[in-house]
Amino acid sequence: MINFNKPYLTGKETQYIEDAVASGKISGNGKYTQLCQQFFEQKYGFGKCLLTTSCTDALEMAAILINIEPGDEVIIPSYTFVSTSNAFVLRGAKIIFADSSEENPNIDTTKLEALITPRTKAIVPVHYAGMACDMDTIMELANRYNLFVIEDAAQAVDSFYTGKNGIKKALGTIGHLAAFSFHETKNIISGEGGMLAINDMQFANRAEIIWEKGTNRSAFFRGEVNKYSWVDIGSSFLPSEVIAAFLWAQIKQLNKIQERRKAIWEQYYERLNNTNSNFKLPQIPNYATNNAHMFYLVFESLEKRNEYVFRLKKNGIQAVFHYLSLHRSEYYLKYNKALELRWSDYYSERLLRLPLYFELTNTDVIKICNEIINE
Ligand SMILES: *Cc1c(COP(=O)(O)O)cnc(C)c1O
């Protein structure tokens, strides 16, 4: 059986966890948390990073930071994971669902301006499969209408966007805030885990307070205040050192992990390109890089996709699809009337993800491709 995903362990995770345990400090914001945060800040140029227990938590922090209040509107793609939307709903936001583009599942920026109203407070683009959204257009609209941009970069670690000015920037450094995931299905992992990246530094101090249950404990530990207390709303968003130590082991192998994932992705692309008219392969826009988070096929119909899912399964290969468009979810339809978002539904019905993980062998990839090619 070839599973869809297999979490990769570098072999150093338990060593760093033992070190964290032996240090006697296993709650949050210790040595390993600092190491991870500094790594991301320095390598990619985020203003400030805070590890969280999930990307979901990082999105919830972002919603608190931009002061989402009941009635505020937040524009997000319908073709995404629940948390992208739920984080803002928790604070009373009204979600305005945007459609995907025809070319790929990312938000269609040509239709974005029409969704902006005087109540709009933020846009939350999702870099699907780690491929950049059209960020120049999104940031230009945000500046013009005075909106916040929160990148859902859950899948986008180590991926980049080149703007019209020719400057190449890491995904998650462009919006005011960004959220990453280290869930076991992502490129680098800590079981559950995530990170808030802060680029607009007006949010830096408050983010730390929200992260630490609404207290100024971080400032206290730095010696900036002589006692800490309840100063704002917040929650327990920071992970323990055990999780950070695990993540540190993964970070140390990031280049190796990325190299292997990209090699698998390329192999899929080369073997499947121009073989079969039942599906299309992912196209990477010129302004985006590929971080090999995901390899997907887009079939001509739901029936065709189901046929392939079944055929692969019969041959011991687990291929999966995802994202019931959020505008068609039970929760959304309880409070809102039905929407038509053609391309979101299109990907919902036709997209299929192939196995992609560090330990997938070349032989596995060949077997999978052969099953797909042989009609
Ligand atoms: C994985 C994922 C999330 C959620 O990440 P968690 O760390 O599991 O909370 C959110 N958005 C997108 C687009 C994702 O792929």
Side-chain angles (χ1 to χ4, degrees):
M1 182 79 196
I2 302 176
N3 287 328
F4 170 68
N5 183 48
K6 179 168 183 257
Y8 171 60
L9 301 178
T10 68
K12 293 276 191 174
E13 286 80 0
T14 46
Q15 183 187 319
Y16 291 131
I17 289 171
E18 276 174 25
D19 180 52
V21 172
S23 78
K25 158 88 178 149
I26 51 173
S27 62
N29 201 9
K31 174 177 112 181
Y32 285 102
T33 300
Q34 297 291 335
L35 281 172
C36 294
Q37 292 175 174
Q38 279 162 17
F39 167 85
F40 285 110
E41 287 164 9
Q42 283 159 17
K43 180 164 169 97
Y44 299 110
F46 304 110
K48 182 184 173 72
C49 290
L50 293 174
L51 291 191
T52 56
T53 48
S54 63
C55 177
T56 302
D57 270 356
L59 289 163
E60 286 174 20
M61 285 182 71
I64 296 172
L65 276 167
I66 64 167
N67 287 323
I68 291 290
E69 287 167 9
D72 288 343
E73 294 179 3
V74 177
I75 301 172
I76 75 160
S78 180
Y79 190 76
T80 184
F81 187 64
V82 176
S83 300
T84 320
S85 181
N86 191 64
F88 298 89
V89 170
L90 280 175
R91 310 229 59 82
K94 178 171 186 221
I95 304 301
I96 306 298
F97 283 123
D99 205 358
S100 294
S101 74
E102 184 177 346
E103 294 78 34
N104 63 53
N106 283 343
I107 198 164
D108 182 350
T109 53
T110 66
K111 295 187 202 135
L112 216 45
E113 189 167 10
L115 302 176
I116 296 171
T117 75
R119 310 212 68 162
T120 308
K121 196 148 195 182
I123 305 172
V124 189
V126 178
H127 303 299
Y128 184 78
M131 286 176 210
C133 294
D134 168 14
M135 291 307 291
D136 276 346
T137 305
I138 292 168
M139 295 313 291
E140 191 274 316
L141 284 170
N143 288 336
R144 187 139 49 91
Y145 290 95
N146 205 13
L147 311 174
F148 292 113
V149 173
I150 295 151
E151 298 176 68
D152 181 336
Q155 307 175 4
V157 71
D158 200 46
S159 203
F160 297 83
Y161 171 79
T162 306
K164 287 190 214 81
N165 59 10
I167 298 171
K168 187 171 171 178
K169 299 189 82 179
L171 298 187
T173 64
I174 304 164
H176 302 83
L177 299 163
F180 287 86
S181 176
F182 307 118
H183 184 263
E184 71 168 24
T185 51
K186 305 302 201 282
N187 291 30
I188 57 169
I189 62 175
S190 58
E192 302 281 351
M195 182 174 77
L196 179 72
I198 299 150
N199 302 310
D200 182 341
M201 293 305 273
Q202 67 161 310
F203 294 119
N205 286 337
R206 189 166 177 235
E208 228 174 38
I209 289 164
I210 291 165
W211 190 57
E212 280 270 29
K213 300 106 179 159
T215 74
N216 54 353
R217 186 156 68 174
S218 298
F220 171 69
F221 281 127
R222 281 196 300 266
E224 293 165 14
V225 290
N226 58 13
K227 57 185 188 317
Y228 79 85
S229 65
W230 186 14
V231 294
D232 201 335
I233 61 168
S235 191
S236 188
F237 287 120
L238 74 174
S240 86
E241 279 289 287
V242 176
I243 287 176
F246 191 112
L247 183 62
W248 182 240
Q250 296 269 317
I251 285 174
K252 298 274 253 184
Q253 297 297 319
L254 175 65
N255 290 343
K256 190 176 102 180
I257 292 169
Q258 287 300 89
E259 232 170 77
R260 178 63 194 145
R261 292 186 73 104
K262 285 180 196 172
I264 295 168
W265 200 101
E266 294 295 335
Q267 210 187 339
Y268 270 135
Y269 194 92
E270 279 159 28
R271 285 187 178 271
L272 295 174
N273 197 21
N274 297 323
T275 54
N276 189 315
S277 56
N278 289 327
F279 54 79
K280 288 189 294 195
L281 301 185
Q283 301 302 323
I284 304 160
N286 288 332
Y287 52 68
T289 61
N290 173 27
N291 74 344
H293 172 61
M294 189 193 298
F295 193 89
Y296 63 82
L297 307 174
V298 182
F299 286 90
E300 62 183 20
S301 67
L302 175 64
E303 293 69 32
K304 266 284 170 238
R305 182 182 73 181
N306 290 346
E307 185 189 311
Y308 275 75
V309 171
F310 183 72
R311 178 137 60 87
L312 289 169
K313 194 170 161 200
K314 217 174 54 191
N315 289 288
I317 298 158
Q318 188 189 23
V320 304
F321 51 84
H322 67 171
Y323 300 155
L324 169 73
S325 295
L326 293 180
H327 73 277
R328 297 202 179 270
S329 64
E330 184 183 326
Y331 179 80
Y332 182 80
L333 289 174
K334 207 155 50 168
Y335 303 101
N336 301 277
K337 50 183 195 313
L339 284 176
E340 283 299 324
L341 295 173
R342 176 179 173 192
W343 295 107
S344 179
D345 290 340
Y346 172 90
Y347 290 110
S348 212
E349 290 181 350
R350 293 169 176 80
L351 187 142
L352 185 66
R353 305 157 72 195
L354 301 182
L356 205 177
Y357 50 87
F358 186 87
E359 288 168 284
L360 192 70
T361 65
N362 291 345
T363 317
D364 291 335
V365 177
I366 293 167
K367 175 177 154 78
I368 296 164
C369 292
N370 286 344
E371 294 302 343
I372 292 169
I373 296 162
N374 297 334
E375 297 205 45

